[in-house]
Amino acid sequence: MKGRLLLGICAWFAAGAAHADDSWRFQVTPYIWGPGLGGDVQPISRLPPVHFDRSLGEILDNLDAAFFMNATARKDRFVIFGDFTYANLTEDHSFTIPSIHVGGITIPSVHVPVDVKISQSSMTVAGGYSVIDQPQFVLDLLGGARLWHVEAEIDIPVHIPHFPHLPTSASETRTWVDPIIGARARLQLTPDWSLIGYADVGGFGAGSDITWQAVGTINYRVTDKFFVSAGYRHMAFDYDKDGLNLDVEMGGPLVGVTVRF
């Protein structure tokens, strides 16, 4: 009888310990991302697209505001992933109106200076399952959605002769949602050092024609609850609907800090 009672008490404590291990675990990572920026922006079809290709240093000169953060929550093998990005920048660009023939008169091509303002924010939310969950290696398969909110504006600061109907400004604001599928992997190199890779792809014509991103970081454990990371991230989307054409790529280094609780 005493043996059965002792066995029951031990089983009760073991169940309690297993339940504690299955509790939710969270981590939050604010990070600094310094991407270069390239692509084409065409707020309305009446204006030609504006092409830009800017390095990190040029982006920092024109950056008005930026904020980046991601977070994960885990319980047993289930995982929820979220990432938020926001960037607002203003740049000087130009486009060329080709020469035209009107009433036997040739109007030469005109080089038009423009101010381009882009505000971009995205929220990625995905849920999934750890198909591999070992101390040295974890692989998560994820599915979810990415919400985009983009504001694009082009201002023409000067009057262009022979083109009185050319608008002095054009702007468009668009919000859409892209379905995504992705994977996240963590490789433990030593007790203090690890590698993390994340990639997703989506859009499939539901919002963007295509959107994708890839992130790789090397991470160092300062304490059990505090980590520092450095790596590289590339993100892209191609959206072309109802007169708004955005084909944008962003890629560059990142550094971040992670808090676990």
Side-chain angles (χ1 to χ4, degrees):
M1 182 68 180
K2 290 182 179 179
R4 291 180 181 179
L5 179 61
L6 180 60
L7 182 60
I9 293 173
C10 291
W12 183 82
F13 275 111
H19 178 74
D21 290 341
D22 288 343
S23 61
W24 283 100
R25 309 182 306 278
F26 303 91
Q27 68 180 43
V28 177
T29 306
Y31 59 97
I32 299 172
W33 181 32
L37 187 65
D40 296 292
V41 175
Q42 187 179 19
I44 60 174
S45 56
R46 286 185 297 162
L47 293 177
V50 175
H51 178 76
F52 51 92
D53 185 5
R54 292 291 183 264
S55 67
L56 171 58
E58 293 170 316
I59 291 296
L60 292 178
D61 288 339
N62 297 284
L63 188 66
D64 299 324
F67 179 76
F68 311 103
M69 176 178 288
N70 68 42
T72 59
R74 292 180 177 273
K75 183 176 183 180
D76 192 18
R77 286 185 175 231
F78 295 97
V79 58
I80 299 173
F81 171 81
D83 181 80
F84 177 78
T85 71
Y86 171 77
N88 190 341
L89 59 92
T90 303
E91 295 194 15
D92 297 329
H93 286 274
S94 63
F95 61 81
T96 300
I97 300 177
S99 61
I100 59 175
H101 300 278
V102 180
I105 300 175
T106 300
I107 299 176
S109 62
V110 178
H111 192 65
V112 182
V114 294
D115 297 328
V116 179
K117 300 177 182 178
I118 301 175
S119 175
Q120 171 268 316
S121 56
S122 68
M123 170 67 79
T124 302
V125 178
Y129 187 79
S130 298
V131 293
I132 301 176
D133 188 6
Q134 301 296 327
Q136 301 302 318
F137 183 71
V138 177
L139 176 62
D140 307 323
L141 298 183
L142 302 161
R146 180 148 52 240
L147 171 69
W148 293 97
H149 180 77
V150 176
E151 300 178 17
E153 180 179 345
I154 293 179
D155 293 322
I156 302 176
V158 297
H159 174 69
I160 307 300
H162 308 300
F163 294 92
H165 300 296
L166 189 68
T168 58
S169 66
S171 64
E172 188 69 54
T173 299
R174 202 65 57 88
T175 300
W176 71 92
V177 177
D178 290 324
I180 62 165
I181 54 175
R184 183 180 186 272
R186 176 177 59 83
L187 176 64
Q188 197 69 38
L189 301 175
T190 71
D192 293 330
W193 291 93
S194 64
L195 297 175
I196 291 178
Y198 172 84
D200 67 41
V201 62
F204 312 120
S208 304
D209 292 335
I210 189 72
T211 179
W212 66 273
Q213 68 168 324
V215 187
T217 64
I218 184 168
N219 318 284
Y220 177 72
R221 183 183 67 173
V222 180
T223 70
D224 287 341
K225 295 183 179 296
F226 185 77
F227 296 74
V228 293
S229 305
Y232 188 91
R233 180 186 193 188
H234 194 97
M235 192 175 195
F237 65 94
D238 184 356
Y239 179 91
D240 188 1
K241 280 185 172 63
D242 301 324
L244 176 62
N245 181 9
L246 300 168
D247 185 3
V248 178
E249 294 199 18
M250 302 164 280
L254 65 85
V255 292
V257 295
T258 298
V259 179
R260 285 184 176 177
F261 54 94

